[in-house]
Amino acid sequence: MPRSYAITWREACGLQYSGRLELEPDHIRLEGGTSAAGGARHVPYSDIGRVRMARAGAERLDERQTLIVERVEGDDLRIAAVGEPGALTEIAERLARQASRRA
């Protein structure tokens, strides 16, 4: 069973979602919603170019520590963990491992 994390994420279009992230064998699954709509999104590991922690300021989500997932094709995602210390670091490490396997 995949590991699940409570997160908030923002799409490049500016919409911000709350929900969960699951690390599946070949992709990350983001599931959640906004006050107006919900849904799920799959991002294949092969589409992840680089992951990095956001600098202070505009890159962060609600002034929280934020992971930026830079995609090979498509818009970047910004992800912040909710209520679980160390979760964002764990997500970043696991995504980096997946990206290095692909390289």
Side-chain angles (χ1 to χ4, degrees):
M1 183 165 187
R3 174 80 163 93
S4 182
Y5 304 88
I7 62 157
T8 295
W9 81 93
R10 182 179 296 151
E11 303 279 342
C13 66
L15 287 177
Q16 189 164 316
Y17 298 83
S18 293
R20 70 175 185 243
L21 176 145
E22 292 180 349
L23 297 167
E24 301 282 349
D26 60 349
H27 66 275
I28 58 173
R29 175 182 171 84
L30 302 164
E31 187 172 331
T34 66
S35 59
R41 177 167 203 199
H42 298 95
V43 179
Y45 295 128
S46 61
D47 192 29
I48 297 173
R50 183 172 82 132
V51 294
R52 64 179 178 86
M53 291 297 181
R55 295 181 209 89
E59 285 191 322
R60 288 187 168 210
L61 292 177
D62 302 327
E63 299 181 19
R64 290 185 294 187
Q65 186 178 24
T66 301
L67 179 67
I68 298 177
V69 178
E70 297 178 359
R71 299 178 58 202
V72 175
E73 292 187 28
D75 297 322
D76 298 344
L77 297 170
R78 287 174 168 45
I79 299 170
V82 177
E84 188 178 345
L88 201 61
T89 301
E90 185 177 329
I91 293 167
E93 289 171 355
R94 292 183 71 181
L95 290 178
R97 271 197 308 268
Q98 289 293 344
S100 69
R101 287 183 189 157
R102 179 181 56 79

